[in-house]
Amino acid sequence: MSKPVEITGDDVSPAEQALRYELTTLAFRLPDAAAAKTGIDPWLTSSDARGRLLGKWEAEHGVLGRIYVLREFKDDAELAAERMRAARSSRPFGAGNHLTDLTMQSFAPFPFMPRVTTGEFGSVYEIRDYHLVPGGIPATIEGWRIKLPGRHLVDPIAVVMYALDGPARIVHIWPFPGLDERVAVRQRLVDAGMWPPPGGPEHILQATSTMAWPLPDSPLH
């Protein structure tokens, strides 16, 4: 298993704060799963592609027929250039007619979050999306600043980020050894008072959770 980077709660360097993430959701009919996956890697590794691939997952619990792709960009300009490449393509992500929907969402890391470390961290990844009340992001970030460093020591997170467009939202991606372990570790942390973050829950309007399995060549796996 890989060793995660320590999280201290202190703000990281300006260069790391300038990082941008894109979470892409590719939707397809279940019989088209294999065909929908075929073009993803050529799209991501094309000579004109931008960004750094962090993870690729396929949903196994929640809404099925979904592949999630997480990429990192050095700044807004690099993300915008890659977004334009997709907008001008008749076959974004190489999926063509096999796609029923394609959603590309932009995020910034919480200001104390270091650059994502890739490696082997778990066989199951939870992608959790919180829709917050308007103006709820600052208090949520500060609550996570207090609690996340302690939780990260026993239950390392992959990334937590806030949306740059659309409603006020945060998304976190967390690896676990398995589904049973995910339930057990979360309960232990709650019982020990290590989670949830203060000031966070009251800002949540709704939450969705997807349990996804890494694709074979995902950098986060």
Side-chain angles (χ1 to χ4, degrees):
M1 298 288 286
S2 301
K3 184 177 180 179
V5 174
E6 180 183 6
I7 296 174
T8 65
D10 298 329
D11 284 356
V12 298
S13 69
E16 287 176 307
Q17 290 191 45
L19 292 175
R20 295 294 178 258
Y21 295 109
E22 181 182 81
L23 184 61
T24 298
T25 305
L26 296 92
F28 50 87
R29 301 176 186 88
L30 290 180
D32 294 336
K37 298 174 193 176
T38 302
I40 295 176
D41 283 343
W43 174 266
L44 296 174
T45 58
S46 171
S47 60
D48 57 346
R50 313 285 183 94
R52 170 191 173 219
L53 175 64
L54 299 176
K56 297 184 296 179
W57 302 273
E58 185 169 1
E60 289 290 345
H61 289 72
V63 181
L64 303 183
R66 301 290 187 274
I67 290 174
Y68 298 90
V69 178
L70 179 67
R71 289 185 291 172
E72 173 195 277
F73 298 89
K74 63 181 181 182
D75 53 28
D76 289 309
E78 187 179 49
L79 187 152
E82 182 66 5
R83 188 68 61 82
M84 186 61 69
R85 183 171 78 102
R88 291 175 174 172
S89 173
S90 60
R91 291 176 55 85
F93 288 83
N97 296 333
H98 303 297
L99 284 186
T100 57
D101 197 12
L102 175 66
T103 304
M104 305 168 74
Q105 298 173 321
S106 305
F107 295 87
F110 279 24
F112 55 85
M113 286 296 294
R115 191 178 185 192
V116 172
T117 300
T118 57
E120 182 183 356
F121 295 106
S123 60
V124 175
Y125 280 71
E126 180 181 23
I127 303 172
R128 182 169 284 210
D129 188 319
Y130 288 109
H131 184 171
L132 307 179
V133 298
I137 288 177
T140 299
I141 288 175
E142 291 312 306
W144 278 65
R145 187 192 298 274
I146 294 168
K147 290 290 189 178
L148 185 59
R151 176 171 178 175
H152 186 68
L153 290 174
V154 297
D155 181 27
I157 193 172
V159 67
V160 58
M161 50 196 182
Y162 61 92
L164 295 175
D165 41 33
R169 296 165 50 236
I170 69 166
V171 169
H172 67 66
I173 301 178
W174 228 303
F176 298 94
L179 292 175
D180 290 343
E181 290 84 353
R182 182 257 176 204
V183 174
V185 70
R186 191 174 179 90
Q187 189 59 53
R188 287 199 303 271
L189 290 162
V190 171
D191 291 345
M194 298 176 67
W195 205 254
E202 55 264 40
H203 290 95
I204 298 171
L205 291 175
Q206 63 183 36
T208 59
S209 180
T210 298
M211 307 305 292
W213 271 231
L215 294 177
D217 54 349
S218 173
L220 281 166
H221 61 283

